Amino acid sequence: MRIATFLYQGGIHVGLVDAKAETVTPLALGAERAGRGALSLIESGDWSNVARMPALRLADVSLMAPIPRPRRNIFCVGRNYHAHAKELLSSVFKDNSKDVASWPIVFNKVPECVVGPTADVHLPVGISEQIDYESELAVVIGVGGRNITRAEAMQHVFGYTIINDVTARDVQMRHQQWDLGKSFDTFCPMGPWIVTADEMDGNHTRVRGWVNQELRQDARTEDFIFDIPTLIETCSRGITLYPGDIIATGSPAGVGMGMNPPTYLKAGDVVRVEIDGIGVIENRFV
Ligand code: MG
């Protein structure tokens, strides 16, 4: 299933998108539950009995992030494709390049930076001159747990969505910890919906990113340094994961910082991220 959160006639709704992405069937959740988006379904476990309302044309609704306000910070993985590790070896990954194979880098984005799949991203004028994109597969946790093993990990995956891990490189670099440079308002476009884990395999898909229709990123998740079970095992070591938690799996090579010379986003640029089996998000930078 593909679960979308959307605005229609002034209200927030959660619905199921058909296979051709032409219609969305709203679920009768009531305003309070629907306001939390897909999170309300993920937390409730069994929602098969929720009544369905007449289908709407997808073109007539306004998609929001499937989880418009995550319950807490988004877990994000740095350096998870071999080619990306290489392209930023002399900058972002300079201090930990020796240790590539042992442990993932994990940082956070604050939940309030999430915006929808076609929302504008606001350049933080006067604060950063180096805004960059990162096209990423995001794993949405279903059943929570602590100390989840690799062998059990995939049973904890509810589904997948797309994020753009928008990054202010200068801010990321100067604070040692990355959170500030990753968490500016609007810096986490997400969507267009969540595809449930029974419909796709995040360990075998293709991630692509374009800037103004120029293909910059193109990778397969088979190239992950740390696969999804390893990421879930790592993030749940001694820390309870909850339904609806999100783990962004890292960026392929081809970010602006890795270009020669480095090339950052400017007002008017449009970044499109597409993942096979999910769909597309496309956001203008203003
Ligand atoms: Mg990233």
Side-chain angles (χ1 to χ4, degrees):
M1 273 174 289
R2 305 196 225 182
I3 302 168
T5 303
F6 58 94
L7 277 170
Y8 180 69
Q9 294 185 340
I12 298 174
H13 301 268
V14 178
L16 305 177
V17 177
D18 75 297
K20 290 182 177 171
E22 289 172 350
T23 68
V24 59
T25 301
L27 299 169
L29 291 171
E32 193 190 339
R33 287 185 69 193
R36 305 178 60 227
L39 187 56
S40 68
L41 296 185
I42 297 166
E43 288 181 336
S44 73
D46 182 12
W47 44 276
S48 52
N49 291 330
V50 176
R52 299 178 183 193
M53 300 192 283
L56 304 168
R57 279 170 15 109
L58 204 54
D60 292 338
V61 310
S62 178
L63 289 172
M64 301 171 64
I67 301 179
R69 179 60 47 85
R71 55 180 295 155
R72 60 177 179 174
N73 285 356
I74 298 170
F75 294 86
C76 301
V77 177
R79 194 187 56 190
N80 202 26
Y81 290 82
H82 290 283
H84 180 59
K86 211 168 172 181
E87 76 175 340
L88 298 189
L89 193 60
S90 63
S91 52
V92 172
F93 304 133
K94 186 174 54 185
D95 296 330
N96 40 38
S97 54
K98 293 187 294 292
D99 229 11
V100 161
S102 26
W103 294 95
I105 296 166
V106 182
F107 61 95
N108 281 184
K109 288 172 99 77
V110 299
E112 292 79 6
C113 69
V114 170
V115 294
T118 60
D120 287 345
V121 175
H122 295 271
L123 296 165
V125 176
I127 300 170
S128 170
E129 305 299 322
Q130 299 184 356
I131 305 303
D132 210 348
Y133 51 86
E134 297 189 348
S135 309
E136 302 194 15
L137 175 71
V139 176
V140 182
I141 297 296
V143 178
R146 187 174 54 164
N147 299 333
I148 299 167
T149 63
R150 283 193 84 254
E152 300 166 327
M154 295 309 289
Q155 297 164 31
H156 292 262
V157 177
F158 178 85
Y160 302 95
T161 191
I162 302 171
I163 75 153
N164 183 346
D165 175 18
V166 182
T167 304
R169 296 293 181 201
D170 38 7
V171 179
Q172 176 189 20
M173 299 289 289
R174 76 182 175 215
H175 294 287
Q176 310 273 334
Q177 305 290 317
W178 298 358
D179 302 24
L180 292 181
K182 297 280 193 170
S183 292
F184 287 100
D185 293 353
T186 72
F187 266 31
C188 191
M190 181 190 294
W193 36 68
I194 295 171
V195 176
T196 51
D198 57 326
E199 288 200 5
M200 72 172 282
D201 180 357
N203 293 297
H204 300 279
T205 189
R206 185 183 189 186
V207 178
R208 281 176 291 175
W210 290 259
V211 177
N212 302 329
Q213 300 177 2
E214 179 194 344
L215 182 63
R216 298 267 186 94
Q217 302 194 278
D218 187 357
R220 293 198 56 89
T221 56
E222 288 89 344
D223 295 332
F224 278 159
I225 297 172
F226 303 101
D227 64 8
I228 291 169
T230 302
L231 297 179
I232 292 173
E233 182 180 71
T234 303
C235 291
S236 72
R237 283 169 68 94
I239 298 176
T240 302
L241 294 183
Y242 293 97
D245 273 343
I246 297 165
I247 303 175
T249 57
S251 174
V255 298
M257 190 186 211
M259 297 174 74
N260 186 15
T263 306
Y264 296 107
L265 297 170
K266 56 189 188 312
D269 285 346
V270 174
V271 178
R272 170 191 169 95
V273 183
E274 179 168 350
I275 297 182
D276 289 4
I278 306 179
V280 174
I281 65 173
E282 190 169 78
N283 301 82
R284 182 176 296 277
F285 285 68
V286 300

